[in-house]
Amino acid sequence: MTERTERNHRRTGAIYEQLAADYLEQKGYRILERNYYTRAGEIDLIARDGRYLVFVEVKYRKNDGEGHPLEAVDSRKQGRIRRAAQAYLYMHHLPQDTPCRFDVVGILGETVLHVEDGFS
């Protein structure tokens, strides 16, 4: 991937992560972090939904020619997100029994699909 292509992917990702954040805020979520990076992995959005700390993966597809965006969150990706979530809890001195949830926001064209507790 060229540097220019990578920049375009990041810019596109940022646009749709913002769209997902706006969508979640309209549903009452409070966004705490965006693009949280650790050596363990990256989490697109971290939010509060009531008592839950919610780790959100955002996936965008222009159309379903490359598959549905929700299908892109495979077991390998889920493992990286879980490890990054554990790092977040540790770095923020939050107890291991903090109520957490993993949500997925899939954006297909103009349609936003939100799956609460998309994986455990």
Side-chain angles (χ1 to χ4, degrees):
M1 184 180 308
T2 68
E3 185 178 328
R4 183 179 188 157
T5 303
E6 188 173 328
R7 277 197 314 262
N8 286 339
H9 281 252
R10 285 186 187 173
R11 191 174 342 188
T12 300
I15 290 167
Y16 290 100
E17 286 168 6
Q18 181 63 52
L19 178 69
D22 293 345
Y23 177 87
L24 293 172
E25 285 178 328
Q26 288 175 357
K27 290 182 75 173
Y29 288 55
R30 185 167 49 93
I31 304 300
L32 305 175
E33 303 248 4
R34 296 166 191 262
N35 299 311
Y36 179 77
Y37 288 99
T38 101
R39 286 188 290 188
E42 176 202 354
I43 301 171
D44 294 328
L45 300 170
I46 301 173
R48 272 278 176 204
D49 179 30
R51 66 186 193 98
Y52 286 96
L53 182 61
V54 185
F55 300 97
V56 183
E57 176 67 8
V58 179
K59 287 294 180 189
Y60 165 75
R61 297 287 184 268
K62 184 186 297 187
N63 57 50
D64 58 5
E66 294 182 27
H68 197 280
L70 298 178
E71 295 171 343
V73 186
D74 59 14
S75 60
R76 199 166 126 193
K77 181 71 173 172
Q78 291 173 17
R80 284 195 296 264
I81 295 167
R82 278 190 209 94
R83 287 189 297 280
Q86 289 172 332
Y88 181 87
L89 293 172
Y90 176 79
M91 295 302 292
H92 289 81
H93 308 289
L94 296 169
Q96 290 269 332
D97 62 351
T98 298
C100 295
R101 197 174 72 217
F102 296 94
D103 287 11
V104 180
V105 174
I107 302 170
L108 182 59
E110 300 296 317
T111 304
V112 178
L113 306 156
H114 176 212
V115 180
E116 289 185 10
D117 204 17
F119 60 94
S120 27

